[in-house]
Amino acid sequence: MIATVLLTRPVKQAERFAGALRDRFGATLPVLIAPKLEIIYDRVAAALALRGAGGVIFTSENGVEACIGADIPANLPAFCVGPRTAKAAGAAGFAAHMGPGDAAGLIATIAGLKCAQEAAPLVHLHGAHVTGNVSGALSAHGIPTRSAVVYDQRPCPISQQARRLLAGSAPVILPLFSPRSAKLLTGDLAVSQAPLWIAAISPAVAQAVNVHSAAELQIRVARHPDADEIIAEIAELLENGSFLEDGTSAG
């Protein structure tokens, strides 16, 4: 049977990831977008948070998006978790500095940058649900940093089409990008009858998966916490468990 990739990320991120899947596998791999989260931006909070900041910290593109339309001072440094966020920050008018791809690495990078120390105080613009304490860690390193919530990640029900997919007999490939997303899907996955092939972005995400009813369960963890590695794990799942519609392998 042909596997379908089920994308439960917010719409913008899901559509971009679907495009990356098409680039890798072509149009033969079925993809269904059924968001479990909706991003709600607080642009007023973002504009207020920028006041008095010598630099900003972004651990996702959503923080950058919340600043669109705000009065961004020229050359305001933005310390970004990875390349995609740095690109978005640069396009928004910030002087972007790229981190290694994860929050812990970003903290270490900022702590070692003289320009970050000189720019302080910094402000970490983030969502209502975060893992870790970036501002606290940097303040402990002697770089005064405050924290501001500038968007929310609100749960929403997945589509009926997604529910039917999970209740079917064909394999479902489910990329997961955060522990919270994995936990929010617990109720949906609890009644899943389809074989589930999960590609988790980190061990913490894999540990948050709670599935008991699936006909088959495979969980693979990305070697590095980024979208390209998730796609690599999807390729492995396809290679081991299925083939694309035209009969060619995922490799």
Side-chain angles (χ1 to χ4, degrees):
M1 292 185 180
I2 305 302
T4 297
V5 179
L6 176 60
L7 300 180
T8 59
R9 304 189 81 186
V11 172
K12 182 178 178 180
Q13 290 93 330
E15 289 177 343
R16 183 176 61 218
F17 192 76
L21 290 174
R22 285 192 297 271
D23 290 343
R24 174 68 183 270
F25 302 109
T28 56
L29 179 63
V31 176
L32 175 62
I33 295 176
K36 187 65 179 178
L37 288 171
E38 178 185 13
I39 304 299
I40 307 296
Y41 298 102
D42 189 340
R43 301 191 189 280
V44 173
L48 290 173
L50 290 174
R51 295 180 183 177
V56 297
I57 300 167
F58 293 121
T59 45
S60 85
E61 292 174 83
N62 292 320
V64 179
E65 178 65 29
C67 294
I68 300 300
D71 184 14
I72 300 171
N75 298 315
L76 184 68
F79 304 98
C80 305
V81 68
R84 197 181 297 278
T85 303
K87 182 178 179 180
F94 294 94
H97 299 260
M98 185 176 70
D102 62 277
L106 180 61
I107 291 168
T109 298
I110 294 172
L113 288 175
K114 183 178 180 181
C115 64
Q117 298 167 10
E118 293 173 344
L122 308 180
V123 59
H124 177 205
L125 304 183
H126 58 81
H129 303 273
V130 294
T131 302
N133 184 354
V134 172
S135 59
L138 287 172
S139 295
H141 276 94
I143 301 176
T145 305
R146 54 190 169 87
S147 178
V149 174
V150 296
Y151 64 92
D152 195 5
Q153 311 102 309
R154 295 182 186 173
C156 54
I158 61 172
S159 66
Q160 287 298 319
Q161 188 177 0
R163 293 179 187 277
R164 288 194 295 270
L165 184 69
L166 290 169
S169 57
V172 176
I173 298 175
L174 180 62
L176 291 174
F177 293 83
S178 74
R180 182 168 181 252
S181 294
K183 291 174 182 176
L184 287 173
L185 284 165
T186 296
D188 301 297
L189 300 182
V191 295
S192 173
Q193 298 297 313
L196 276 176
W197 303 346
I198 293 175
I201 200 167
S202 70
V205 173
Q207 291 169 9
V209 173
N210 187 0
V211 180
H212 300 291
S213 61
E216 173 194 346
L217 177 63
Q218 295 186 52
I219 301 178
R220 295 186 64 92
V221 178
R223 296 173 180 85
H224 187 75
D226 62 38
D228 289 341
E229 289 297 330
I230 286 280
I231 291 174
E233 296 304 327
I234 290 173
E236 290 286 340
L237 286 166
L238 287 168
E239 193 71 40
N240 294 336
S242 181
F243 292 88
L244 302 184
E245 194 169 9
D246 63 0
T248 60
S249 72

